[in-house]
């Protein structure tokens, strides 16, 4: 047994120190980034935010809206091939530029991802997603995917430590997804005791990835727009959002009415509800690692996205970053013991 004594941080432990800036307005900030990826050598431009591949976040309806903002959607893996065909026929080629196709690591997942990619040359990304990216089977699947799809941007995860980020990049990942346990509907830390504070995971993994020409996604744990700024400030190339984009019209979830108010169910992809829905039952040897929550229905995701992008632009002006790309080098984190003044938090909001 060993204990690491240095402090690991999450978003709530820090704020970003403001810096002198020549920017006069938030409108001068450019949030779009251009990447050329290590293995696939493909170039992609857009705002590096991704809707998570959860079944009430990463939906076909979501991508139709988010693509207009040049934001990516990781489409969940439960749509059938027929649904994919219908979807691809119903949208512009430009929309496909903002899609990540998610997959697990079974043989049938592999056949399905091949079939989906064969539907259009405009599909650029796959996201190989497992809860625990530390397994040898996962690394073998990634190598097989890289050999089979040399010209596809491959994202793989989740992991939280530099040495595993390096292994995944060397095995063929262009982008590594970082985060174990920070998610809004995740109970992994409680059920297993495993995890890593998200901001430190991002800082350490970004350093490892960038050293090899790879990229990272910070996945999970953002609860307010400022957390995206902290993720990018810590070195994340992309930020993936679940809960912040859940509970909207575009979630394809069912709306419930209770005492005249509208709600939508949101759940982790390892929750009882998700396992029963897609696997039929919970296997005897495993436990649920996800929560089920009832969210107040939030209408269209457009207002939420505008709020997030406005926050991010404002963060950039506070530190003088004209481009989102500059945010990391202009970020100094200060450790804090409080984030906001909570005096009126329990008051009725107008
Ligand atoms: P959020 O943005 O809601 O904080 O986090 C979203 C992320 O939580 C997802 O992208 C995914 O990585 C993770 N996640 C989704 N469902 C589950 C689950 O049931 N269990 C765990 N451990 N993580 C989950």
């Amino acid at each position: 047994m060993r204990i690491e004594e240095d402090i690991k941080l999450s978003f709530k432990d820090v704020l970003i120190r403001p810096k002198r800036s020549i920017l006069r307005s938030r409108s001068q900030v450019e949030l779009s980034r251009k990447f050329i990826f290590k293995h696939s050598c493909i170039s992609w431009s857009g705002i590096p935010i991704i809707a998570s591949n959860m079944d009430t976040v990463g939906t076909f309806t979501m991508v139709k809206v988010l693509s207009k903002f040049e934001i990516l959607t990781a489409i969940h893996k439960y749509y059938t091939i027929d649904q994919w065909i219908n979807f691809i026929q119903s949208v512009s080629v430009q929309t496909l530029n903002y899609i990540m196709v998610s997959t697990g690591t079974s043989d049938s997942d592999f056949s399905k991802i091949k079939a989906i990619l064969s539907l259009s040359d405009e599909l650029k990304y796959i996201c190989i997603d497992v809860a625990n990216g530390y397994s040898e089977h996962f690394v073998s699947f990634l190598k097989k995917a890289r050999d089979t799809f040399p010209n596809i941007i491959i994202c793989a995860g989740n992991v939280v430590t530099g040495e595993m980020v390096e292994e995944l990049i060397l095995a063929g990942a262009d982008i590594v997804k970082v985060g174990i346990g920070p998610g809004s509907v995740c109970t992994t830390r409680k059920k297993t005791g495993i995890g890593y504070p998200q901001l430190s995971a991002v800082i350490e993994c970004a350093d490892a990835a960038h050293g090899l020409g790879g990229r990272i996604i910070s996945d999970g744990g953002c609860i307010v727009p400022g957390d995206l700024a902290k993720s990018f400030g810590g070195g994340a190339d992309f930020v993936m959002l679940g809960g912040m984009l859940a509970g909207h019209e575009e979630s394809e979830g069912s709306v419930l009415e209770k005492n005249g108010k509208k709600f939508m169910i949101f759940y982790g992809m390892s929750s009882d509800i998700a396992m029963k829905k897609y696997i039929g039952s919970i296997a005897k040897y495993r436990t649920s690692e996800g929560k089920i929550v009832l969210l107040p229905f939030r209408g269209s995701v457009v207002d939420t996205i505008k709020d997030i992008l406005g926050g991010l632009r404002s963060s950039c002006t506070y530190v003088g970053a004209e481009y989102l790309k500059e945010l990391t080098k202009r970020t100094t984190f200060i450790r804090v013991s409080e984030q906001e003044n909570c005096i009126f938090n329990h008051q009725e909001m107008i």
Side-chain angles (χ1 to χ4, degrees), residues 31-35 44-49 69-71 98:
L31 295 180
S32 194
R33 286 201 60 179
K34 180 176 179 181
F35 297 102
W44 178 87
S45 301
I47 298 184
I49 297 174
F69 291 88
E70 303 188 343
I71 288 174
Y98 300 102

Side-chain angles (χ1 to χ4, degrees), residues 113-268:
I113 199 89
K114 256 174 135 173
I116 296 170
L117 291 178
S118 72
L119 296 175
S120 170
D121 290 342
E122 298 302 319
L123 291 168
K124 291 191 169 59
Y125 284 94
I126 63 171
C127 178
I128 309 172
D129 191 28
V130 293
N132 171 7
Y134 285 78
S135 84
E136 269 185 32
H137 169 72
F138 173 63
V139 178
S140 319
F141 186 94
L142 166 60
K143 286 183 181 155
K144 183 163 108 176
R146 175 47 74 211
D147 289 344
T148 317
F149 312 117
N151 303 317
I152 292 285
I153 304 162
I154 299 184
C155 151
N158 281 20
V159 297
V160 283
T161 49
E163 90 287 353
M164 203 61 204
V165 167
E166 287 169 357
E167 177 157 356
L168 296 181
I169 290 173
L170 295 173
D174 292 302
I175 313 171
V176 175
K177 196 145 73 78
V178 174
I180 294 187
S184 57
V185 279
C186 166
T187 55
T188 294
R189 291 178 183 174
K190 274 165 92 172
K191 289 286 173 86
T192 67
I194 308 286
Y196 213 98
Q198 184 66 1
L199 181 62
S200 285
V202 165
I203 293 170
E204 293 168 28
C205 291
D207 189 47
H210 296 162
L212 288 174
R215 301 289 175 181
I216 67 153
I217 299 172
S218 171
D219 175 20
C222 287
I223 57 176
V224 287
D227 293 340
L228 279 88
K230 292 173 187 174
S231 309
F232 288 122
D237 301 288
F238 296 83
V239 175
M240 182 172 266
L241 302 175
M244 283 183 78
L245 302 182
H248 291 95
E249 268 164 30
E250 295 78 1
S251 301
E252 296 183 11
S254 34
V255 178
L256 309 176
E257 287 229 13
K258 248 175 122 180
N259 304 329
K261 288 192 176 151
K262 290 182 174 172
F263 294 88
M264 198 179 257
I265 292 179
F266 177 51
Y267 46 84

Side-chain angles (χ1 to χ4, degrees), residues 5-142:
E5 299 284 357
D6 56 327
I7 290 174
K8 302 293 177 190
L9 304 165
S10 50
F11 302 128
K12 68 170 188 6
D13 301 317
V14 301
L15 286 167
I16 299 171
R17 188 188 230 268
K19 279 199 170 71
R20 226 161 50 80
S21 161
I22 53 162
L23 291 173
R24 275 187 295 169
S25 154
R26 286 158 204 184
S27 63
Q28 288 175 273
V29 173
E30 176 58 67
L31 295 180
S32 194
R33 286 201 60 179
K34 180 176 179 181
F35 297 102
I36 298 174
F37 293 101
K38 177 183 169 87
H39 293 286
S40 56
C41 300
I42 291 180
S43 133
W44 178 87
S45 301
I47 298 184
I49 297 174
I50 311 166
S52 169
N53 50 345
M54 301 169 78
D55 69 349
T56 56
V57 180
T59 64
F60 285 146
T61 318
M62 189 66 83
V63 76
K64 285 182 187 170
V65 175
L66 297 192
S67 60
K68 296 193 182 121
F69 291 88
E70 303 188 343
I71 288 174
L72 286 155
T73 301
I75 302 288
H76 68 73
K77 65 179 184 182
Y78 300 107
Y79 287 117
T80 63
I81 299 288
D82 283 345
Q83 287 174 306
W84 270 100
I85 294 171
N86 288 337
F87 169 72
I88 288 175
Q89 284 169 352
S90 73
V91 293
S92 67
V93 167
Q94 183 64 8
T95 307
L96 304 182
N97 200 24
Y98 300 102
I99 285 181
M100 287 184 164
V101 186
S102 304
T103 178
T105 56
S106 70
D107 289 345
S108 65
D109 287 328
F110 195 73
S111 316
K112 187 168 173 190
I113 199 89
K114 256 174 135 173
I116 296 170
L117 291 178
S118 72
L119 296 175
S120 170
D121 290 342
E122 298 302 319
L123 291 168
K124 291 191 169 59
Y125 284 94
I126 63 171
C127 178
I128 309 172
D129 191 28
V130 293
N132 171 7
Y134 285 78
S135 84
E136 269 185 32
H137 169 72
F138 173 63
V139 178
S140 319
F141 186 94
L142 166 60

